[in-house]
Amino acid sequence: MLLLTATCIGFTTGALRSMFSIAFVAAMILVIFAVAAFVSPAPVSFWNLAIAIAGYNLGIIGLMGAIFVTEGRSQTA
């Protein structure tokens, strides 16, 4: 579920086509995880952070691939 959520966030952030928003959301993932780790009484797993970062990047890469495929098809028609 974490991977799917992070992928959706990456996909929608990439759709904004703003480098500031992409960098800001990436920084917010780190900041929110750090705050959650600081506040949590139980130990946190850094695998969750790695999964969130991987999902975020996967969403951005997926969007770029989708744009590449659709733009390529529209130019040949």
Side-chain angles (χ1 to χ4, degrees):
M1 192 66 184
L2 179 62
L3 181 70
L4 180 62
T5 303
T7 303
C8 290
I9 291 171
F11 196 84
T12 55
T13 305
L16 294 174
R17 295 186 182 189
S18 167
M19 288 303 294
F20 174 76
S21 63
I22 291 171
F24 181 73
V25 171
M28 288 306 297
I29 289 172
L30 295 174
V31 168
I32 291 170
F33 182 83
V35 169
F38 182 72
V39 174
S40 175
V44 295
S45 172
F46 285 98
W47 281 110
N48 290 336
L49 178 61
I51 290 170
I53 292 171
Y56 181 69
N57 289 331
L58 184 66
I60 292 172
I61 291 169
L63 177 71
M64 291 172 58
I67 289 172
F68 178 72
V69 168
T70 58
E71 291 293 322
R73 288 185 180 169
S74 66
Q75 290 177 358
T76 58

